[in-house]
Amino acid sequence: MRILPSFLLSLTLFSSVAFAEQVPLEAPSGVPKQKHDYQSDVARLRKIVINSLYSHRDVFLRELISNANDALEKLRLTALKDKTVWDGEETLNITIKSEKNENGKGGRIIIADTGIGMTAEELTNNLGTLAKSGTTEFLQRAESSDATGTGNLIGAFGLGFYSSFLVADRVYVSSIAPKTAKNPQPAQHVFSSSAEESSFEVYPDPRGNTLGNHGTEITLVLKDDALEYLDTHTLQELVNKHSVFSSTFPIYLFTTRTEEVPEEEEMVTPEEAGEATPSEKSDAEKAKLEDDEDEDEDEAVIEELSDEKVKEKEEEKKEVKMKPVTVDEWVHLNPMPPIWLRDPKNITEEEYDLFYQATFRDFTKPIAYHHFSGDSGSGVSFKAIVFIPGTLPDSFWQQPTSITVKDVRLMVKRVFITSDLGDDSLPKWASWVKVVIDADDLPLNVSRETLQGTSFLRQIRRIILRRLIQLMERLAKEEPAKFEELQKTFGSVIKLGAIEDQGNRDKLAVLARFPTNQRNSSSLDEYLDTRKKGQKHIFYLADVGKKISELQNSVFVEKLHARGYEVFLLNEPMDEVLFQNLRMWKKLGFQDVAKAGLKFGDEDLDPEEEKEQHKELTERFRPLLDWLKKEAGDVVSNVVISNRLVTSPCAIVADVMGYTANVEKLINAANKKAGRDFMHEYAKKQKLLEINPKSPLIEGLLKRIENLPAEGEEKDLEAEEELKEVASILIDGALVRSGFEVPDSNVFFTRVDRVLRRSLGVSETAQTDATVKPAPPVEAGVPTDEVDEAQQPDTPPLGDIHFDKDGKPRVVVPDELKDKISIDIEEMPDDDTTRHDEL
């Protein structure tokens, strides 16, 4: 036996494959061929199709209502050419009714319509063939004829009917077609099929004609696990969710309720009482009656009822017997037409509010709405309404990373498709917007629950965001009252959007509003309209959580305010983050006035005398600057003469590479481990102590420093220690006023206490009486189980487990329930091996 080398074997196999690929696979002419049809188990194939198409069986009602709507539309369109089919006077509607079996087990749902109906042959062809759409054939015939329109015909795949088997064991379809020349004597037939059978039956309806001139009735015999659909409330919710706008024809649901009404007393006729009727009375009697009536009119007798009679009458009212009455009625489920299909000029604001409240179950009025129509850019036209709600959900800020968009209702031909846009969902900042979109056509999958492509969803996302921003811009220009209401509710959200959404950042930043030291609210553009000549920066001061009044009196704003400059006062978390992301606005940068390097913009116009004066002040206060730098070396990196202070003696400002107090708070809140980071600690120490040379306190401190003994002279240690204490309080106070934390609050307040004592003439060494009552002696041993009865309530709370003096547990129950219930309490073993099924 010869063994080929591996590489030779591989080459041989490769050659054979290559050769096989070169041979044509088509059979030569003249070669006999056998043709076969695909075979399949119809029942199993139907089950696979049904269970793989629909992700939730709630859609069965939507599909059947859509089919009923198609039947009604076909009748209406057919009647345009043949008036004998429908004369326009018969009512066209859809009805839904649930019936429970008499034995209380199981039930059925009946969906009926007064549409075109089907003959026995059409029942066989349309319902007995998978994926055969009668609607598609109708549309094809309509397009080839002179039909004036196709109406709202939804069905296209021919599979909607089979969703019935999601909830039904057996389905009966009774139908009768209208009388036509081809069908002069229509008869009502029944299509019957089971969920498990591979065959169906079509036979004349044994009940005869129950549907009238035309129509279809579908009876679903529900499965044991689908009996919840017998509840009329469940059916109503399904219609409201999926089909309330899908049909222009009325949809009715049969409901039953019980009312308490007073029992009617038996009426006794004059004949039964032996009295003469008005026609039988003599003229004299009639005249007497008229005289009596006149006397009654002339004399008004007021009868004063005693307290006893009043009580008697009240008791008589209470004794009125009531009896239960069952009221059956058909409830109209879609009385409101799809408002988005109407002309906005003909719709009142009240109608928009009612539609919003009914659709989104929000009983507060929307702040604003925008009704529009357009094209997605891919050839799909649509109509839509964008609503700005009156409130923001609490979960918006409680779950900052969660994005749940549930109120973008996407429809196709008024049939609800989805509210989940998947990866193309709206961003977090716009997740609260409520939208209704109705497209004329979309590439749906067979189940009509999801879209096949995502391009339309991306286009819809862009359209919604663009229209939402346009709506807010319109409010800002035309309706300031509503825009102010919008700012109260969504002001922080707009700023979040400007931070997150780079594509719409500038548009959203225009809509953001901030308080200033000169007005309650200002936009960035309004700020630029009032900027001073030569001003090259937009000034702002940020401190999260502070009141605006506190920021107005901040040491950092003193000189800016005094000179008439406008400063944004930011006290919300998003404010400073937004400014840092914007970096520039209309070619002007942002200047944090709590940082070093503050420039007003007119420094070049200052006289030379002022510049020389600043140099002289620096030289004059040099001893104090050097001394303070030495004392505050652990807190600040340098001490300089300030150009921002007017009345305050000093302030702590962040250096160019340092953290302001607000940024430090935000970083500490976002990252609690940031304090361990080297760069974080470095930035925290980049602070400057700015002193005001015009402050009497600073001038007094300078004199004390200048009067200190020089080197070689005898030092006054007590005076130097007191001076250091004053400087420490001054620096810590500057930290507090500037928004920073003091290094050690206990030391700070201890020093303040000593200064206060000196100012009040109290001895600094006087001790506070610190005597307190000592705790009781140690109680040895393990606590006993005895309970002080005096401390226990007389009646323990109902339902709680308590223990008697002998240690037995008991449960307190109301007296009226003691004879009706029994409670067994079993002690669990320590090894916990017992298992209880009831748990």
Side-chain angles (χ1 to χ4, degrees):
M1 180 178 178
R2 305 178 73 184
I3 301 178
L4 294 174
S6 58
F7 74 90
L8 184 58
L9 180 61
S10 301
L11 181 60
T12 304
L13 292 175
F14 175 78
S15 301
S16 62
V17 171
F19 179 76
E21 290 179 350
Q22 295 176 359
V23 176
L25 297 178
E26 289 289 337
S29 59
V31 175
K33 295 182 289 185
Q34 294 181 351
K35 192 172 184 179
H36 302 275
D37 292 333
Y38 286 104
Q39 303 297 318
S40 64
D41 184 340
V42 177
R44 185 166 181 268
L45 177 61
R46 183 179 61 177
K47 184 180 296 186
I48 292 173
V49 169
I50 294 170
N51 293 329
S52 62
L53 286 182
Y54 303 101
S55 59
H56 202 289
R57 61 182 182 176
D58 282 351
V59 300
F60 83 93
L61 190 58
R62 180 197 71 183
E63 295 297 319
L64 296 182
I65 291 177
S66 297
N67 289 347
N69 176 81
D70 285 359
L72 293 167
E73 284 287 355
K74 291 174 187 175
L75 178 68
R76 184 182 65 83
L77 295 174
T78 303
L80 296 177
K81 296 179 62 177
D82 187 356
K83 295 294 183 181
T84 61
V85 174
W86 178 55
D87 57 7
E89 296 182 358
E90 295 177 86
T91 303
L92 301 182
N93 58 37
I94 302 170
T95 60
I96 306 170
K97 184 178 181 181
S98 62
E99 294 181 350
K100 295 182 180 179
N101 294 339
E102 295 180 356
N103 58 6
K105 297 180 180 179
R108 57 182 54 83
I109 297 176
I110 303 171
I111 299 101
D113 66 74
T114 56
I116 192 71
M118 290 177 281
T119 63
E121 181 181 357
E122 289 171 334
L123 284 171
T124 302
N125 293 334
N126 293 340
L127 304 184
T129 305
L130 285 175
K132 181 176 178 60
S133 173
T135 298
T136 300
E137 292 184 358
F138 181 84
L139 290 173
Q140 292 173 352
R141 291 196 302 268
E143 290 174 358
S144 61
S145 62
D146 295 330
T148 58
T150 56
N152 181 31
L153 293 170
I154 303 169
F157 300 106
L159 292 170
F161 165 74
Y162 299 101
S163 64
S164 306
F165 295 103
L166 293 169
V167 298
D169 280 326
R170 177 166 287 277
V171 178
Y172 299 95
V173 181
S174 302
S175 188
I176 182 172
K179 184 178 181 180
T180 61
K182 295 182 179 179
N183 188 20
Q185 295 181 342
Q188 186 169 314
H189 286 76
V190 177
F191 169 95
S192 173
S193 179
S194 171
E196 302 297 332
E197 295 177 356
S198 59
S199 60
F200 61 90
E201 299 172 336
V202 176
Y203 50 87
D205 195 329
R207 303 171 300 173
N209 187 348
T210 62
L211 300 176
N213 295 329
H214 44 76
T216 302
E217 177 187 86
I218 301 177
T219 302
L220 309 179
V221 181
L222 295 179
K223 298 177 180 178
D224 293 337
D225 62 348
L227 299 182
E228 69 269 16
Y229 295 107
L230 291 174
D231 184 15
T232 54
H233 294 291
T234 302
L235 295 175
Q236 186 171 0
E237 289 178 359
L238 292 181
V239 175
N240 288 337
K241 180 179 180 181
H242 295 285
S243 308
V244 69
F245 299 112
S246 65
S247 178
T248 55
F249 305 100
I251 303 174
Y252 295 99
L253 175 66
F254 184 80
T255 61
T256 302
R257 70 176 190 276
T258 302
E259 293 183 354
E260 294 288 333
V261 297
E263 292 185 356
E264 297 179 359
E265 297 182 358
E266 294 184 1
M267 301 297 294
V268 181
T269 62
E271 292 85 351
E272 292 175 347
E275 298 179 359
T277 61
S279 60
E280 295 174 350
K281 293 185 178 185
S282 62
D283 295 337
E285 291 175 341
K286 291 180 181 180
K288 185 179 179 181
L289 287 174
E290 292 175 358
D291 293 339
D292 292 340
E293 290 176 357
D294 294 338
E295 291 178 1
D296 292 339
E297 292 177 358
D298 295 337
E299 299 179 5
V301 179
I302 301 175
E303 181 182 0
E304 295 183 0
L305 298 178
S306 63
D307 294 339
E308 294 180 357
K309 289 184 178 181
V310 172
K311 291 181 180 179
E312 289 178 1
K313 288 186 174 292
E314 290 179 353
E315 290 178 358
E316 289 178 2
K317 292 180 180 179
K318 292 180 180 178
E319 291 177 357
V320 175
K321 294 183 179 180
M322 306 293 287
K323 64 178 181 179
V325 175
T326 301
V327 179
D328 297 337
E329 66 176 343
W330 290 94
V331 177
H332 192 184
L333 299 183
N334 60 340
M336 183 180 294
I339 195 173
W340 60 85
L341 297 181
R342 295 166 54 189
D343 187 350
K345 297 178 182 178
N346 301 326
I347 306 175
T348 64
E349 184 173 350
E350 183 180 2
E351 288 180 297
Y352 280 114
D353 292 343
L354 292 174
F355 169 78
Y356 169 83
Q357 294 171 350
T359 303
F360 299 104
R361 301 295 187 269
D362 184 356
F363 298 103
T364 60
K365 291 184 178 181
I367 295 176
Y369 54 84
H370 184 26
H371 187 174
F372 62 97
S373 59
D375 190 293
S376 65
S378 58
V380 178
S381 59
F382 64 90
K383 296 181 182 294
I385 307 179
V386 174
F387 290 96
I388 297 178
T391 58
L392 182 68
D394 296 335
S395 59
F396 185 88
W397 296 115
Q398 294 173 358
Q399 302 173 357
T401 59
S402 173
I403 302 178
T404 54
V405 182
K406 297 181 180 179
D407 292 325
V408 177
R409 299 177 61 84
L410 180 59
M411 302 184 181
V412 177
K413 295 182 179 178
R414 303 196 296 275
V415 178
F416 174 72
I417 300 301
T418 184
S419 59
D420 182 11
L421 302 183
D423 296 337
D424 298 307
S425 180
L426 296 178
K428 171 71 176 180
W429 73 268
S431 60
W432 43 267
V433 69
K434 301 182 187 297
V435 187
V436 174
I437 302 175
D438 186 11
D440 291 342
D441 189 20
L442 281 181
L444 300 173
N445 67 353
V446 180
S447 68
R448 295 195 297 169
E449 292 177 293
T450 56
L451 297 172
Q452 291 179 350
T454 59
S455 59
F456 178 76
L457 294 182
R458 288 192 294 270
Q459 294 160 356
I460 283 296
R461 170 192 166 104
R462 290 194 296 268
I463 291 170
I464 293 175
L465 294 178
R466 184 172 71 250
R467 295 289 183 165
L468 174 61
I469 294 173
Q470 290 175 356
L471 175 57
M472 293 189 289
E473 290 174 345
R474 179 177 63 81
L475 293 179
K477 294 178 181 179
E478 302 175 6
E479 301 183 65
K482 286 188 176 182
F483 186 73
E484 183 178 355
E485 183 181 357
L486 173 72
Q487 285 294 325
K488 291 180 181 178
T489 306
F490 299 100
S492 298
V493 177
I494 293 173
K495 296 170 185 176
L496 174 64
I499 297 171
E500 288 185 342
D501 195 342
Q502 296 184 6
N504 295 305
R505 176 169 294 169
D506 290 344
K507 295 179 181 178
L508 291 170
V510 170
L511 297 169
R513 296 292 184 268
F514 312 90
T516 73
N517 60 321
Q518 296 180 359
R519 42 188 163 180
N520 295 328
S521 178
S522 174
S523 67
L524 291 170
D525 289 340
E526 290 171 343
Y527 179 94
L528 296 185
D529 291 340
T530 60
R531 74 185 188 276
K532 302 299 180 182
K533 184 178 180 180
Q535 181 179 341
K536 299 178 181 178
H537 294 91
I538 298 173
F539 300 119
Y540 74 91
L541 174 64
D543 200 340
V544 175
K546 284 288 185 69
K547 295 181 180 179
I548 297 301
S549 58
E550 296 180 21
L551 294 179
Q552 285 177 333
N553 297 322
S554 172
V555 295
F556 303 115
V557 186
E558 282 183 359
K559 194 167 186 178
L560 288 161
H561 183 71
R563 295 194 61 189
Y565 285 92
E566 189 171 17
V567 183
F568 281 120
L569 305 176
L570 313 180
N571 63 347
E572 295 184 3
M574 298 293 172
D575 292 345
E576 186 170 13
V577 180
L578 172 57
F579 281 9
Q580 290 177 353
N581 278 270
L582 288 175
R583 296 181 179 273
M584 301 281 291
W585 187 258
K586 304 293 178 63
K587 298 183 180 180
L588 265 72
F590 292 91
Q591 171 67 56
D592 188 346
V593 298
K595 276 199 164 190
L598 177 62
K599 299 292 184 182
F600 296 92
D602 61 346
E603 286 78 9
D604 296 338
L605 303 177
D606 290 346
E608 292 296 329
E609 296 179 0
E610 292 186 6
K611 297 178 182 179
E612 291 295 330
Q613 185 180 7
H614 182 77
K615 292 181 181 180
E616 292 175 1
L617 288 173
T618 302
E619 291 301 324
R620 178 188 168 192
F621 283 85
R622 177 63 60 187
L624 178 59
L625 296 175
D626 295 339
W627 186 83
L628 286 175
K629 183 176 180 181
K630 181 179 178 181
E631 293 298 322
D634 295 336
V635 179
V636 299
S637 60
N638 200 5
V639 183
V640 296
I641 298 295
S642 177
N643 68 333
R644 78 182 73 224
L645 300 176
V646 178
T647 59
S648 299
C650 58
I652 302 288
V653 301
D655 205 348
V656 178
M657 299 301 295
Y659 290 156
T660 62
N662 186 59
V663 172
E664 192 171 312
K665 290 177 184 177
L666 294 176
I667 292 177
N668 290 337
N671 183 10
K672 295 186 177 181
K673 295 183 179 180
R676 305 175 188 175
D677 184 72
F678 170 76
M679 293 302 297
H680 178 76
E681 289 297 325
Y682 173 80
K684 285 176 63 176
K685 293 181 179 179
Q686 299 306 302
K687 301 182 181 72
L688 300 179
L689 173 60
E690 293 188 359
I691 62 173
N692 182 5
K694 298 180 181 180
S695 170
L697 180 61
I698 297 299
E699 289 184 352
L701 189 58
L702 174 62
K703 291 180 181 179
R704 291 289 301 272
I705 295 298
E706 290 175 341
N707 293 330
L708 288 176
E711 293 184 7
E713 298 180 3
E714 184 179 356
K715 295 184 178 181
D716 187 350
L717 298 179
E718 184 177 351
E720 288 189 12
E721 189 63 30
E722 182 180 339
L723 192 59
K724 289 181 179 181
E725 192 172 62
V726 171
S728 175
I729 294 175
L730 185 69
I731 294 169
D732 286 346
L735 283 170
V736 174
R737 293 192 66 181
S738 302
F740 295 98
E741 295 182 359
V742 295
D744 191 332
S745 58
N746 292 324
V747 174
F748 171 64
F749 286 108
T750 300
R751 289 169 177 167
V752 172
D753 180 70
R754 286 200 297 267
V755 173
L756 291 175
R757 286 182 179 221
R758 285 198 296 268
S759 66
L760 296 174
V762 178
S763 173
E764 297 181 24
T765 59
Q767 299 294 321
T768 305
D769 184 6
T771 57
V772 295
K773 180 182 177 180
V778 176
E779 182 177 4
V782 180
T784 62
D785 295 335
E786 296 181 1
V787 180
D788 187 358
E789 295 183 358
Q791 298 180 359
Q792 299 299 317
D794 296 335
T795 304
L798 299 179
D800 285 2
I801 298 177
H802 300 273
F803 296 89
D804 295 331
K805 293 181 180 180
D806 56 358
K808 294 183 179 180
R810 63 189 179 92
V811 178
V812 179
V813 296
D815 294 336
E816 62 270 16
L817 297 179
K818 289 183 178 179
D819 299 334
K820 299 180 181 179
I821 64 174
S822 63
I823 300 175
D824 295 330
I825 299 178
E826 180 183 357
E827 184 177 358
M828 297 291 293
D830 294 337
D831 58 0
D832 196 20
T833 57
T834 306
R835 296 290 182 268
H836 295 269
D837 294 337
E838 65 271 16
L839 297 180

